[in-house]
């Protein structure tokens, strides 16, 4: 029961964060006039559809012009564009939450739709696939190496790792990606320079999957490399601190085998703080995804974000900021569920 | 906690990681100071981002040291300049000014282009006549071209000033007169007929080599001497600068980008910007974050509640998407970038210092200070802050690379300050122009290495600080 209560409180907190972000964003775009621009674009779109439809029934150009003008005025009123922006906060919030943000200026989905919601929904799974795979891989590698190193503090391997994790922390993900493309595509020609599938994609399902793996290899390697250093380092430090506790000494005194002490006694206690690290690294992974997707032309939300910036597409940028925050909040919640399960002390 | 500053410094400098970090930091600072003193502040706007300023440079040229590994030697881009002529005065009042330029040619390829630039000519009576002559290693002389500076316009009074703002550039290889004189030269010296139109395809081949029918010929190696003669008709007449530009295919220490900009200069100018953003943001973030944490922890109650709630929310935001969004709306200036990094950066420290302050509040020495009537602010600044100083300094250093990398990432996404050259922007331009797919490594490797190196320096120092802050790590 207390588990459920704790989780509910966490969920409400995270939803509050999401809502607050949205509220701030709406105020900012309202005050800077961006929301007017987005709504006007929707109005223009609807007016031009209306003109096309009515031109079939009204043939007189003057009457048509008049009808279109009236329709436009009605729309402006309906969208509240005749009133100051702060009267529309509620409406704008609803629009963002349901991604009802009109159409993109210059981008289209593969099926030809240019609606913001379609564009984002088409790209979302690709990003989730990339980031989840990379995060899990990096976590597992960090755990395996970190636990091993914690018992060898000060060894040559440990010192080498200190330098490696420092380098890994200092490496900009996107630049690593660029160098990987230069080496593995331009010079060695063993990996493709970008994209998600070959053009045209293979017909056979298995071949398609292999093709996907081949294309995903470099971006995943880059994302793992960017995060694995700090994962190893944190695991090592946490485990080392716990390894100096009395209960570990007691376990050793009992004569338990080292691997049982390592994985049953130490790792169990070390799990929550290591998970905390994973939670804290989440925002970084999402940021890393934006840059990595841009470098590798991976058709996810990050690349879409870059394309939206380059073409100054306000509606699309707004939608993406919302979906990124949403994805982040959901991912955090999932991790916090694990945390509450692992560490009963945080239950209320 | 550490007993004294001396002890802290001793522990810090006992590890090789910290020593290396400090050495790197000194190098970075020295390079920044050099960049700031050697280049004017407006350089970024006026020269770096002005394609006109780079017209005479080769485009996308690799660094000149690639010659060390090349089988056939490439020609390094050369700009020969002269301001001081040898002056001859004739009895009839004409003055002849001779400018000499010497070139030692040892490349296996011909120059890509050849032009002459004349800057700031002033004359009083008749327009000066400028001629260009070349004496080759084989002793033969080519009279390449001559031209007259434009005549006075109606109503203009002396001195007549020409080419002051923009130098006059004569493209030797696309000049009809040059083709004709080369044609004559070859006929006189070798007895072979080449029409000017045949020569126009690649005049450098004839200027710097022997005429061969067909395409194969190699440059004549050795010492060349160019002679520019300016004949003037008044002793006050003057020319401020004459330069000869020989287009090469390699350039300088780090080569050039697609606009012809010297990448070495861009890399150098990146240091101050990068360090400024990293250090300034991190100092402000640390101060704001710590103060809020201590205030919240010390005062408790409503103040604490407000600070804690807001830091919780800001801490839970996805940083990059929001920063991109806000920079997009606010415009990309270095101040906006610093401001946003501060706005999103402070909560991490607030959360940690608050918990430290909560423990400290109960400590006996704080109780004592309270008992003799110290004001809360005095307690915070005089008694609590010094206790957390080593921790704060370590955090401050650890934040520097974070902000350096964030700025570089924003620049790479096209949101960098356009008036300042930054490494991120250099990489963005390279990426957008397909430098990776064309293999222009000299454009994308050096700026990236500088970002890594700068961030790495601070990571090393932060790692070196760790044993000072966390005594458990001090054992071995």
């Amino acid at each position: 029961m207390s588990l459920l209560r704790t989780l509910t409180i966490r969920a409400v907190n995270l939803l509050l964060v999401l809502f607050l972000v949205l509220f701030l964003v709406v105020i900012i775009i309202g005050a800077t006039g961006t929301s007017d621009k987005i709504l006007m674009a929707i109005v223009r779109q609807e007016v031009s559809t209306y003109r096309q439809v009515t031109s079939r029934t009204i043939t007189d150009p003057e009457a048509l012009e008049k009808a279109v003008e009236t329709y436009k005025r009605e729309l402006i009123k309906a969208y509240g564009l005749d009133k100051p922006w702060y009267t529309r906060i509620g409406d704008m919030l609803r629009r963002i939450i349901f991604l009802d943000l009109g159409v993109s200026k210059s981008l289209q989905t593969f099926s030809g739709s240019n609606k913001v919601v379609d564009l984002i929904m088409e790209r979302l799974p690709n990003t989730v696939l990339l980031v989840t795979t990379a995060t899990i891989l990096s976590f597992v590698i960090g755990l395996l190496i970190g636990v091993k190193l914690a018992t060898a503090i000060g060894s040559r391997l440990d010192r080498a790792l200190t330098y490696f994790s420092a380098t890994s922390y200092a490496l900009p993900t996107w630049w690593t990606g660029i160098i990987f493309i230069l080496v593995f595509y331009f010079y060695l020609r063993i990996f493709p320079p970008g994209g998600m599938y070959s053009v045209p994609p293979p017909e056979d399902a298995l071949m398609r999957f292999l093709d996907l793996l081949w294309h995903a290899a470099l971006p995943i390697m880059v994302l793992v490399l960017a995060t694995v250093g700090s994962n190893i380092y944190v695991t090592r430090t946490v485990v080392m601190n716990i390894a100096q506790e009395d209960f570990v000494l007691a376990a050793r005194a009992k004569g338990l085998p080292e691997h049982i002490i390592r994985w049953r006694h130490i790792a169990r206690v070390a799990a929550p703080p290591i998970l905390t690290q994973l939670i804290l690294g989440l925002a970084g992974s999402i940021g890393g995804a934006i840059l990595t997707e841009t470098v590798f032309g991976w058709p996810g939300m990050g690349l879409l974000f870059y394309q939206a910036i380059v073409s100054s597409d306000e509606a699309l940028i707004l939608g993406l900021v919302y979906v990124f925050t949403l994805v982040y909040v959901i991912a955090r919640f999932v991790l916090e569920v694990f945390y509450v399960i692992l560490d009963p002390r945080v239950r209320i | 906690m550490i007993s004294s500053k001396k002890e802290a410094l001793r522990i810090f400098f006992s590890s090789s990681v910290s020593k290396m970090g400090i050495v790197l930091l000194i190098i970075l600072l020295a390079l920044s100071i050099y960049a700031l003193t050697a280049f004017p502040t407006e350089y970024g706007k006026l020269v770096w981002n002005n394609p006109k300023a780079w017209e005479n440079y080769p485009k996308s040229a690799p660094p000149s040291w690639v010659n060390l590994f090349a089988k056939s030697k490439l020609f390094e881009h050369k700009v020969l300049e002269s301001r001081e002529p040898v002056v001859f005065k004739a009895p009839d009042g004409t003055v002849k000014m001779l400018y000499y330029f010497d070139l030692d040619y040892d490349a296996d390829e011909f120059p890509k282009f050849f032009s002459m630039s004349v800057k700031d000519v002033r004359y009083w009576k008749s327009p000066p006549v400028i001629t260009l002559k070349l004496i080759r290693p084989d002793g033969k002389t080519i009279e390449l071209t001559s031209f007259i500076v434009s005549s006075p316009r109606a109503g203009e009074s002396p001195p007549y000033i020409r080419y002051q703002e923009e130098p006059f550039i004569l493209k030797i290889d696309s000049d009809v007169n040059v083709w004709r004189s080369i044609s004559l030269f070859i006929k006189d010296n070798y007895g072979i007929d080449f029409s000017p139109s045949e020569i126009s395809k690649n005049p450098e081949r004839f200027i710097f080599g022997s005429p061969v029918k067909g395409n194969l010929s190699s440059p004549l190696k050795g010492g060349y001497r160019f002679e520019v003669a300016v004949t003037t008709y008044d002793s006050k007449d003057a020319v401020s600068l004459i330069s000869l530009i020989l287009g090469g295919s390699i350039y300088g220490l780090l080569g050039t980008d697609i606009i012809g900009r010297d990448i070495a200069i861009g890399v150098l100018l990146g240091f101050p910007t990068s360090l400024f953003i990293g250090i300034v943001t991190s100092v402000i973030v640390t101060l704001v974050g710590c103060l809020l944490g201590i205030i919240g922890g010390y005062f408790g109650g409503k103040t604490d509640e407000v600070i804690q709630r807001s830091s919780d929310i800001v801490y839970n935001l996805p940083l990059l998407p929001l920063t991109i969004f806000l920079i997009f709306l606010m415009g990309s200036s270095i101040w906006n970038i610093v401001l946003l990094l501060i706005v999103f950066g402070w909560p991490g420290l607030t959360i940690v210092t608050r918990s430290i302050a909560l423990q400290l509040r109960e400590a006996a020495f704080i109780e004592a200070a309270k008992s003799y009537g110290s004001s809360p602010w005095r307690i915070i600044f005089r008694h609590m802050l010094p206790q957390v100083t080593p921790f704060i300094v370590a955090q401050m250093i650890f934040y520097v690379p974070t902000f350096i990398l964030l700025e570089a990432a924003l620049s790479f996404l096209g949101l960098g300050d356009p008036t300042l050259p930054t490494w991120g922007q250099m990489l963005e331009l390279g990426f957008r122009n397909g430098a990776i797919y064309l293999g222009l490594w000299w454009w994308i490797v050096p700026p990236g290495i500088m970002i890594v190196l700068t961030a790495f320096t601070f990571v090393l120092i932060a790692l070196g600080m760790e044993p000072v802050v966390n005594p458990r790590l001090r054992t071995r």
Side-chain angles (χ1 to χ4, degrees):
Chain A
M1 206 48 224
S2 75
L3 184 71
L4 206 65
R5 225 184 106 197
T6 316
L7 289 179
T8 320
I9 291 171
R10 298 263 157 149
V12 169
N13 265 345
L14 283 171
L15 277 179
L16 209 68
V17 167
L18 181 69
F19 190 74
L20 251 151
V21 170
L22 282 181
F23 192 68
L24 280 177
V25 163
V26 167
I27 287 183
I28 290 166
I29 59 164
T32 51
T34 314
S35 75
D36 290 9
K37 264 196 218 164
I38 294 170
L39 290 177
M40 264 326 274
I42 301 176
V43 168
R44 268 197 299 275
Q45 173 83 11
E46 286 185 26
V47 166
S48 83
T49 336
Y50 177 77
R51 186 194 294 270
Q52 266 179 5
V53 173
T54 37
S55 64
R56 279 185 227 129
T57 48
I58 309 175
T59 41
D60 176 30
E62 222 166 89
L64 176 70
E65 236 12 81
K66 221 172 179 178
V68 167
E69 204 45 50
T70 327
Y71 182 69
K72 191 175 175 183
R73 231 174 292 131
E74 273 168 25
L75 273 181
I76 287 180
K77 208 165 187 175
Y79 280 102
L81 276 164
D82 53 343
K83 281 181 243 129
W85 62 270
Y86 44 81
T87 55
R88 294 192 305 263
I89 290 178
D91 176 59
M92 204 63 206
L93 272 177
R94 186 194 57 77
R95 272 178 192 285
I96 298 177
I97 289 172
F98 296 104
L99 281 176
D100 180 13
L101 293 166
V103 296
S104 155
K105 274 187 203 163
S106 51
L107 297 162
Q108 276 191 350
T109 61
F110 291 109
S111 50
S113 161
N114 59 354
K115 275 203 183 132
V116 169
V117 56
D118 294 346
L119 267 164
I120 294 179
M121 285 309 149
E122 182 189 66
R123 305 284 191 102
L124 181 62
N126 299 347
T127 296
V128 172
L129 177 74
L130 190 70
V131 177
T132 320
T133 318
T135 308
I136 292 173
L137 259 179
S138 168
F139 176 71
V140 171
I141 297 173
L143 197 66
L144 290 178
I145 301 182
V147 170
K148 191 133 213 138
L149 278 180
T151 48
I153 301 283
S155 68
R156 195 176 296 163
L157 192 68
D158 182 53
R159 263 175 292 158
L161 174 91
T162 308
Y163 280 97
F164 170 73
S165 50
T167 321
S168 157
Y169 185 78
L171 268 182
T173 333
W174 45 280
W175 184 68
T176 322
I178 287 179
I179 296 302
F180 273 29
I181 295 177
L182 192 69
V183 173
F184 294 109
Y185 166 71
F186 185 77
Y187 290 113
L188 302 177
R189 300 270 164 189
I190 47 176
F191 282 111
M196 204 168 156
Y197 291 105
S198 304
V199 184
E203 297 281 324
D204 181 53
L206 178 70
M207 290 308 283
R208 236 177 113 82
F209 177 68
L210 290 177
D211 192 47
L212 176 66
L213 276 188
W214 187 49
H215 280 80
L218 283 187
I220 287 180
M221 257 156 73
V222 166
L223 280 173
V224 169
L225 204 68
T227 49
V228 79
S230 66
N231 277 345
I232 295 176
Y233 195 77
V234 166
T235 311
R236 158 198 177 272
T237 312
V238 167
V239 171
M240 179 203 71
N241 277 327
I242 291 167
Q244 293 179 4
E245 298 282 348
D246 291 341
F247 72 88
V248 178
L249 197 66
R252 283 223 175 85
K254 270 200 292 190
L256 288 179
E258 193 57 34
H259 71 270
I260 289 190
I261 298 177
R262 195 184 285 161
W263 292 107
R264 284 212 197 134
H265 291 75
I266 300 175
R268 181 66 189 82
V269 183
I274 293 170
L275 193 63
T276 308
Q277 168 65 20
L278 200 63
I279 294 177
L280 293 183
L282 206 61
S285 304
I286 287 181
I290 295 180
L291 294 156
T292 312
E293 284 181 8
T294 303
V295 169
F296 286 98
W298 183 267
M301 293 202 306
L303 181 64
L304 191 64
F305 208 172
Y306 176 73
Q307 290 164 330
I309 297 167
V310 170
S311 53
S312 297
D313 204 326
E314 292 98 356
L316 194 53
I317 292 181
L318 187 59
L320 282 166
V321 169
Y322 162 64
V323 178
F324 268 120
T325 316
L326 187 67
V327 168
Y328 172 71
V329 163
I330 292 171
R332 251 199 96 129
F333 183 70
V334 171
L335 288 181
E336 292 199 354
V337 171
F338 279 124
Y339 194 97
V340 174
I341 293 170
L342 275 175
D343 191 351
R345 284 174 300 177
V346 297
R347 290 179 205 172
I348 301 165
Chain B
M1 282 294 141
I2 300 301
S3 49
S4 71
K5 273 181 201 154
K6 241 188 200 160
E7 174 71 2
L9 282 177
R10 193 192 61 74
I11 294 167
F12 176 71
F13 280 107
S14 66
S15 80
S16 59
V17 172
S18 346
K19 274 184 214 141
M20 197 171 144
I22 293 291
V23 168
L24 282 173
L25 181 67
I26 292 169
I27 295 173
L28 294 182
L29 287 176
L31 285 169
S32 303
I33 292 166
Y34 173 71
L36 286 177
T37 47
F39 293 90
T41 35
E42 294 280 273
Y43 185 86
K45 207 170 13 178
L46 298 180
V47 185
W48 182 254
N49 284 331
N50 174 14
K52 261 219 126 94
W54 303 96
E55 258 175 353
N56 288 335
Y57 290 77
K59 317 291 175 234
S60 306
S64 47
W65 44 264
V66 295
N67 254 354
L68 297 175
F69 312 100
K71 274 195 206 101
S72 72
K73 269 190 110 179
L74 299 167
F75 178 61
E76 182 175 0
H77 190 79
K78 287 244 162 54
V79 178
L80 306 166
E81 290 188 335
S82 177
R83 289 170 191 277
E84 274 140 32
V86 184
V87 182
F88 295 99
K89 284 193 177 132
D92 61 349
T94 60
V95 180
K96 203 167 190 184
M97 297 188 282
L98 291 175
Y99 294 82
Y100 293 108
F101 306 86
D102 289 314
L103 171 72
D104 189 29
Y105 205 100
D106 60 351
D108 295 314
E109 61 163 6
F110 291 103
K112 293 272 183 282
F113 62 89
F114 180 21
S115 50
M116 174 163 75
S117 128
V118 180
K119 191 159 164 51
D120 197 7
V121 178
R122 29 189 94 207
Y123 63 93
W124 265 257
K125 285 184 200 141
S126 310
V129 180
I130 300 176
T131 61
L132 170 64
K133 196 161 85 178
L134 168 65
I135 304 144
R136 309 203 308 178
D138 56 4
K140 297 188 168 89
T141 305
I142 316 179
E143 306 270 353
L144 280 167
T145 189
S146 73
F147 71 99
I148 303 170
V149 177
S150 57
S151 323
R153 285 181 288 271
E156 201 185 4
S157 59
Y160 307 104
I161 300 169
R162 296 287 179 270
Y163 322 135
Q164 196 187 21
E165 311 263 295
E166 297 266 322
F168 173 75
I169 291 175
L170 179 71
K171 295 205 159 106
I172 308 285
D173 43 10
S174 47
D175 188 58
V176 187
N177 291 326
V178 174
W179 304 338
R180 285 206 195 103
S181 28
I182 295 172
S183 176
L184 273 175
F185 162 80
I186 291 168
K187 193 158 174 91
D188 291 352
N189 285 274
Y190 299 91
I192 313 173
D193 266 321
F194 274 101
S195 69
S197 69
E198 268 176 285
I199 287 163
S200 73
K201 280 174 206 146
N202 192 351
E204 283 80 14
R205 216 160 62 96
F206 299 94
I207 301 176
F208 298 95
S210 309
V212 185
K213 282 279 182 192
N215 276 327
L216 291 166
S217 83
S218 56
L220 203 58
K221 292 184 186 180
Y224 285 79
R225 164 163 279 208
F226 300 89
E227 184 190 300
V228 176
V230 181
T231 312
T232 58
Y233 302 94
D234 191 292
S235 56
K236 293 196 291 280
D237 292 3
V239 179
S240 77
L241 174 68
I242 290 186
S243 35
L244 297 177
I245 302 122
L246 289 140
S249 46
I250 48 178
Y251 181 84
L253 186 63
L254 293 175
T256 63
D257 67 11
I258 206 165
I259 305 173
R261 298 190 288 201
D262 185 346
I263 290 174
I265 293 180
V267 164
L268 182 67
L269 290 175
F271 283 105
T273 321
S274 185
L275 284 184
F276 175 82
I277 291 183
I279 294 175
V280 166
T281 318
S282 138
V283 167
I284 300 178
V285 160
T286 315
L287 289 181
V288 171
C290 279
L291 265 183
L292 285 176
I294 293 183
I295 290 172
Y298 181 78
F299 288 109
K302 278 244 162 62
T303 329
D304 187 32
E305 187 70 15
V306 170
I307 293 174
Q308 235 196 314
R309 282 290 133 245
S310 30
S311 61
D312 256 2
I313 288 167
V314 180
Y315 199 56
N316 283 330
L317 298 179
L319 178 62
L320 197 62
L322 278 175
T323 320
I324 293 172
F325 172 69
L326 290 172
I327 291 281
F328 175 77
L329 288 181
M330 291 160 61
S332 32
S333 90
I334 185 169
W335 303 112
N336 284 347
I337 294 172
V338 169
L339 181 76
L340 282 178
L341 294 182
I342 293 169
V343 166
F344 288 118
W346 62 273
L349 260 178
T350 303
I351 294 168
V352 188
T353 36
R354 177 181 170 272
S355 64
I356 299 178
L358 276 180
Q359 289 169 12
L360 275 179
R361 191 169 63 168
E362 311 301 327
F365 70 99
I366 301 288
E367 287 288 317
K370 263 192 226 161
S371 72
Y372 60 70
S374 286
S375 73
W377 293 106
R378 192 184 157 81
I379 291 177
I380 287 175
F381 282 103
R382 286 301 299 271
H383 301 295
M384 291 176 89
L385 215 51
Q387 290 294 314
V388 285
T389 307
F391 172 76
I392 292 176
V393 173
Q395 283 297 313
M396 187 148 74
I397 293 165
F398 200 66
Y399 273 132
V400 176
T402 316
F403 295 125
I404 288 176
L405 293 178
L406 266 170
E407 186 278 328
L410 286 173
S411 284
F412 179 68
L413 290 170
L415 296 167
D417 189 327
T419 62
L420 293 168
T422 64
W423 298 322
Q425 288 178 50
M426 292 174 77
L427 284 161
E428 188 236 344
L429 194 71
F431 178 70
R432 271 216 226 178
N433 285 292
I436 350 172
Y437 313 113
L438 300 169
L440 309 180
W441 53 267
W442 59 90
W443 193 0
I444 43 187
V445 175
I449 288 185
M450 292 308 142
I451 297 174
V452 177
L453 192 75
T454 313
F456 189 60
T457 304
F458 290 96
V459 177
L460 285 183
I461 299 177
L463 283 176
M465 289 279 306
E466 220 169 53
V468 181
V469 187
N470 183 358
R472 271 194 171 176
L473 286 164
R474 229 179 290 157
T475 43
R476 264 157 283 185

